[in-house]
Amino acid sequence: MRIALMVIRLILKVPYYFFQIWRCGVSNKVSYEEAFQLIKMITKKANHAGRVTIETYGLENIPKEDGFIFFPNHQGMFDVLVFLDTCPRPFSFVAKKEASNIILLKQVIKALGAYPMDREDVRQSMKVINAVADDVKNRKNFLIFPEGTRSREGNKLLEFKGGSFKSATKAQCPIVPCALIDSFKPFDENHIRPVTVKIIYMKPLYYEEYKDMKTVDIAEEVKRRIEETIKIYNTGE
């Protein structure tokens, strides 16, 4: 219902926005930064039209230099929109391969140079991990959901998969944990009442802190930090 509300309230501009995002994905004249700023602007308008308010905390924790990876908990399709709305720095992301077949989302994937991953295909997954690591070394930022799939238990987290952190260890880059609260509500709850989503950008783990840790241990530590942060900020429960 909320997606329908977004479309209805922006109905006159939807064709133009769709064309612009498509153009970003197929034209070599549009830079990655320009594509990001366009998609960010459209996301802000869509969220406003959908009556979604996003409270943002911890922007000062985002590393000053590019070449880092966000690792948030995963609650649903709205999660990426939270980051696009609030993050001041361009980033790309890793998505499930099924997302590359969803209209508009597949255009965003092309525009931002995102990577669809088939978690059932080990060889393809390793190619994505290596490609992300190379991009991060070249000062591109990424968003990876270490749960692999969205939690269907509200603000409770699923297991964080160690393999999700291999790109970070290969790139030796800062790991930025991020806590999402109530991000499942805009698209999973069947109503169009105003909703508030919270995102907390947390202090990063730098390579010197995790270089001697196994990826499964990094996953457990990031999960622990996010869970603690959700307890602090989730005043609605």
Side-chain angles (χ1 to χ4, degrees), residues 89-115:
R89 307 270 283 284
F91 67 88
S92 189
F93 57 93
V94 175
K96 293 191 298 185
K97 69 169 185 176
E98 292 81 5
S100 61
N101 296 319
I102 299 175
I103 191 168
L104 188 58
L105 188 52
K106 66 180 180 181
Q107 281 76 25
V108 171
I109 287 173
K110 288 183 179 180
L112 295 182
Y115 292 103

Side-chain angles (χ1 to χ4, degrees), residues 89-219:
R89 307 270 283 284
F91 67 88
S92 189
F93 57 93
V94 175
K96 293 191 298 185
K97 69 169 185 176
E98 292 81 5
S100 61
N101 296 319
I102 299 175
I103 191 168
L104 188 58
L105 188 52
K106 66 180 180 181
Q107 281 76 25
V108 171
I109 287 173
K110 288 183 179 180
L112 295 182
Y115 292 103
M117 176 182 281
D118 183 356
R119 295 185 181 275
E120 303 300 319
D121 186 332
V122 177
R123 181 175 295 180
Q124 192 270 349
S125 296
M126 283 305 302
K127 286 183 178 179
V128 170
I129 289 169
N130 291 330
V132 170
D134 288 341
D135 284 352
V136 173
K137 288 178 183 177
N138 290 319
R139 299 301 184 219
K140 189 172 182 179
N141 309 315
F142 269 83
L143 166 66
I144 296 176
F145 295 106
E147 288 164 292
T149 188
R150 62 177 178 169
S151 168
R152 295 182 182 275
E153 299 183 50
N155 293 310
K156 294 182 180 179
L157 277 58
L158 301 177
E159 176 189 359
F160 277 26
K161 302 182 186 303
S164 300
F165 293 86
K166 287 183 178 179
S167 292
T169 58
K170 287 178 177 290
Q172 301 183 8
C173 71
I175 290 171
V176 186
C178 302
L180 291 168
I181 299 174
D182 294 341
S183 186
F184 62 93
K185 290 185 176 180
F187 289 167
D188 287 2
E189 292 187 349
N190 195 28
H191 63 75
I192 56 174
R193 295 189 299 273
V195 295
T196 298
V197 174
K198 294 179 183 179
I199 179 169
I200 303 95
Y201 293 92
M202 300 162 58
K203 291 183 178 180
L205 284 77
Y206 291 94
Y207 181 65
E208 292 73 19
E209 299 176 63
Y210 68 79
K211 63 181 181 180
D212 296 323
M213 299 170 65
K214 296 179 180 179
T215 54
V216 291
D217 297 324
I218 297 171

